[in-house]
Amino acid sequence: MRLKGKVCVVTGSSRGIGAAIARAYAREGATVAVTYKSSKEAGEEVARECGSELCLPLDVCSRESIRACFAAVAERHDRIDVLVNNAGVNRTGDFDEITDEMWDDVVDTDLKGVFLCCQEALPHLPDNGRVINIGSLSGEYGGPRTPSYAAAKMGVMALTHCMARFVAHRGITVNCLSPGVIDSDLTTQSMPPFLKEKILPLILLGRLGRYDEVTEAAIFLASEGASYVTAQTLSVNGGAWVR
Ligand SMILES: NC(=O)c1ccc[n+]([C@@H]2O[C@H](COP(=O)([O-])OP(=O)(O)OC[C@H]3O[C@@H](n4cnc5c(N)ncnc54)[C@H](OP(=O)(O)O)[C@@H]3O)[C@@H](O)[C@H]2O)c1
C-alpha cells in the first residue's frame, strides 16, 4: 500500500485516465475524491469502486467551482495530500482550421484549469504534498492536428516548473506526467484509424499504451519513493517520436 492514509483529489476522474488513476490510488490505500463535470453517474460509479464517499462536481474552468470542491474535501479530511490535475479536452483540426472558440475551450480547460487548480490547492496542501499535472506527448513534440492542445500541454510543463519553485521550501513536489498515445476514449474519438496506423510506427514499442502503465507512474509520483523528484516531466509513451 504505497498511498495509505493519503487524501487525493483527481480532477476529471469520472472517465478515462482520471478514473483509472482514482481506482489505482484507492487500491494503494488512498482516500480519493472523485470529480466529474458532466458524467455524474459514471463519477458515482468510480467513487463506489474506490470506496469513496466523495464524488464532487468540478469545472476546472471556474475558480468558484474549484474552490467549492477543494473546500468540501478539506472540510471532511482537513487537507489534500495529492492533487492530480487530469481533467482535459482536445479539439483536433489542422493549424488553419482551429477557431477562436476551439482554442479557448482547450486552453481554458487544459492550461488555465491546471493553473486555477494549483493556485486553489495551495492552502490545502500540507508540507510534503504532491501535485501531478497530466501533460501529453503532444505538449512535448507538437502532435498532429492539435495546435491548441499541444500549446496548452507545453504550457503545463512550464507551469509545473513555476509551481515547483514556489512550493519547494515546503517539501511539496510538482511534476508533470506526460502520457503518450493511450488506448482510451479520447484517442479513439479524436484519431481516425488511418492516423493510428501512421502513429504506431513512430512508437518504439510498436503499440498504444495502457491505463495501468500510466497509473503506475502516477502512483510513483505520489508515493514516498518520489520524495526527491520535482519539476520533472515523466514521459510514459513507449519511446514515441524518437524514430
Ligand atoms: N488518452 C490519451 O491517449 C492521452 C494521452 C496524453 C494525455 N492525455 C491526457 O490525460 C488526461 C485524461 O485524458 P482521457 O483520455 O482520460 O480523457 P477523457 O476520457 O475524455 O476524460 C476527460 C475527463 O476530464 C473531465 N473534464 C473535461 N472537461 C472538464 C472541465 N472543464 N472540468 C472538469 N473536468 C473536466 C471529464 O469529465 P466529464 O466526463 O464528467 O464531463 C472526464 O472525466 C487529459 O488531460 C488528457 O489530455 C490523454
Side-chain angles (χ1 to χ4, degrees):
M1 292 258 182
R2 287 170 282 179
L3 301 179
K4 198 165 168 39
K6 298 292 180 192
V7 179
C8 307
V9 176
V10 184
T11 71
S13 41
S14 52
R15 298 188 281 120
I17 291 174
I21 293 174
R23 291 187 193 103
Y25 278 10
R27 281 195 298 274
E28 293 293 334
T31 297
V32 185
V34 173
T35 78
Y36 64 88
K37 185 185 169 210
S38 54
S39 311
K40 183 169 189 242
E41 279 182 20
E44 286 171 349
E45 177 56 30
V46 175
R48 257 193 303 278
E49 289 165 8
C50 292
S52 173
E53 290 170 0
L54 285 176
C55 179
L56 301 163
L58 172 68
D59 179 355
V60 299
C61 299
S62 155
R63 190 182 282 280
E64 288 68 35
S65 170
I66 298 165
R67 200 169 278 172
C69 174
F70 291 179
V73 179
E75 193 178 312
R76 180 80 65 99
H77 297 290
D78 294 331
R79 64 193 193 280
I80 297 172
D81 294 304
V82 180
L83 168 66
V84 181
N85 285 309
N86 164 83
V89 293
N90 190 4
R91 306 274 298 269
T92 51
D94 277 329
F95 200 86
D96 57 356
E97 291 171 352
I98 301 296
T99 63
D100 292 8
E101 188 267 319
M102 289 162 84
W103 176 274
D104 289 345
D105 183 24
V106 173
V107 175
D108 280 357
T109 310
D110 294 8
L111 180 55
K112 190 178 175 193
V114 174
F115 171 66
L116 294 178
C117 287
C118 287
Q119 224 182 29
E120 289 298 325
L122 281 172
H124 305 297
L125 285 166
D127 289 356
N128 302 315
R130 301 293 160 86
V131 176
I132 300 164
N133 298 324
I134 305 297
S136 170
L137 177 65
S138 291
E140 295 180 76
Y141 297 99
R145 307 185 78 243
T146 60
S148 51
Y149 181 74
K153 292 295 188 179
M154 187 166 268
V156 165
M157 290 195 287
L159 195 59
T160 298
H161 282 229
C162 294
M163 189 182 182
R165 259 179 219 282
F166 186 68
V167 294
H169 68 286
R170 295 179 49 205
I172 298 172
T173 68
V174 187
N175 290 290
C176 177
L177 197 177
S178 175
V181 191
I182 306 304
D183 204 351
S184 62
D185 289 352
L186 191 138
T187 317
T188 44
Q189 275 165 22
S190 65
M191 199 185 295
F194 78 90
L195 203 54
K196 222 183 242 186
E197 281 156 28
K198 270 188 175 173
I199 281 176
L200 285 183
L202 299 173
I203 302 172
L204 281 187
L205 295 182
R207 62 172 176 82
L208 303 187
R210 299 188 310 264
Y211 284 153
D212 63 289
E213 292 170 323
V214 178
T215 61
E216 267 305 307
I219 292 167
F220 168 67
L221 289 174
S223 73
E224 270 313 300
S227 52
Y228 200 53
V229 180
T230 196
Q232 303 302 310
T233 293
L234 175 53
S235 304
V236 179
N237 64 27
W241 270 229
V242 297
R243 275 184 176 162

